[in-house]
Amino acid sequence: MSGLVPLSEKMPPWEITAYKNKFTGEKTMIAPKIVKAFNEQLNAELYSAYLYYSMAAYFESINLAGFANWMMTQFQEEQFHASKFYRYINERGGRVLLTAIESPPTEWDSPLAVFEATLAHEQKVTGLINTLADMAMEQKDHASMSFLQWFVNEQVEEENGVGTILGRLKLVKESPQALLMLDKELAQRVFTPPPVEG
């Protein structure tokens, strides 16, 4: 339940799309359907963070600290993504409702298997973001469409970055020396949050 209910249709035309937050009684311009979907995406972003935290722990357990660092940076990025949804829902007068986060996997067969799973996960997230963008267009919610464009662009970068590492892991195959060189390179990654809009 989103906590938002439509206001009366006997309103000036510019307010017809307004809703009332049933928790606060305040007017809001975000539809209950969007609030519900954005809360679900907030949960999905937190799950992504949890998944990458688990992957970091896996890499620590096999003494690949650089890979672990790359995943810890990914963990921080996903937390940032969740925070963007949290702030946006609140700024638009919606209500953030947190739900349980599913347990992530904890074991993989190899670094290659981890990055195959990572790419599949990012492709799933891309699908979720695209579905949200389609919903915002259907609702004629221009603010949400603008907000989601950042995520559409981000997913292109995410898939490309993961795909590049995956391709390199496929080249490495069974070479421990090449794997350690890649590990050293991935140790250099740091999270730098982009400036907050507005």
Side-chain angles (χ1 to χ4, degrees):
M1 179 183 300
S2 68
L4 302 176
V5 294
L7 293 175
S8 167
E9 292 296 319
K10 297 177 182 176
M11 306 175 75
W14 62 87
E15 290 190 350
I16 286 176
T17 57
Y19 297 86
K20 183 170 74 172
N21 184 313
K22 78 173 189 178
F23 299 106
T24 66
E26 297 291 322
K27 279 194 291 187
T28 178
M29 295 299 286
I30 190 168
K33 182 177 181 179
I34 299 285
V35 173
K36 181 178 185 297
F38 276 29
N39 270 303
E40 289 168 359
Q41 187 62 35
L42 195 163
N43 180 276
E45 299 292 345
L46 290 172
Y47 172 78
S48 294
Y50 207 24
L51 173 64
Y52 294 133
Y53 210 25
S54 184
M55 289 174 169
Y58 164 77
F59 281 122
E60 290 282 0
S61 76
I62 61 170
N63 298 313
L64 288 173
F67 280 88
N69 174 71
W70 195 94
M71 287 298 175
M72 285 298 291
T73 303
Q74 199 68 12
F75 163 75
Q76 292 171 308
E77 279 195 7
E78 299 303 336
Q79 288 184 308
F80 177 77
H81 296 170
S83 294
K84 281 180 74 75
F85 275 98
Y86 180 95
R87 284 192 309 271
Y88 182 80
I89 293 167
N90 282 317
E91 286 169 1
R92 298 291 290 160
R95 171 80 189 272
V96 171
L97 297 172
L98 300 177
T99 55
I101 303 168
E102 183 183 340
S103 297
T106 57
E107 299 294 335
W108 292 268
D109 293 333
S110 65
L112 177 64
V114 174
F115 274 87
E116 288 172 338
T118 301
L119 182 58
H121 180 74
E122 288 299 337
Q123 289 168 338
K124 178 181 177 183
V125 172
T126 297
L128 294 173
I129 295 296
N130 289 341
T131 298
L132 290 178
D134 291 344
M135 184 186 300
M137 281 189 266
E138 288 165 12
Q139 295 284 314
K140 296 183 173 59
D141 185 341
H142 298 283
S144 293
M145 286 171 10
S146 176
F147 170 76
L148 288 166
Q149 190 58 52
W150 185 90
F151 285 93
V152 170
N153 296 335
E154 176 72 3
Q155 283 309 119
V156 172
E157 291 179 23
E158 294 280 2
E159 287 187 35
N160 180 58
V162 173
T164 298
I165 295 169
L166 182 57
R168 292 174 73 187
L169 281 168
K170 287 178 179 176
L171 289 173
V172 164
K173 297 190 180 177
E174 302 299 319
S175 168
Q177 293 88 353
L179 184 65
L180 291 175
M181 285 177 64
L182 184 54
D183 185 65
K184 186 175 181 180
E185 181 182 326
L186 297 182
Q188 305 306 310
R189 186 181 187 210
V190 294
F191 174 62
T192 305
V196 178
E197 302 87 12

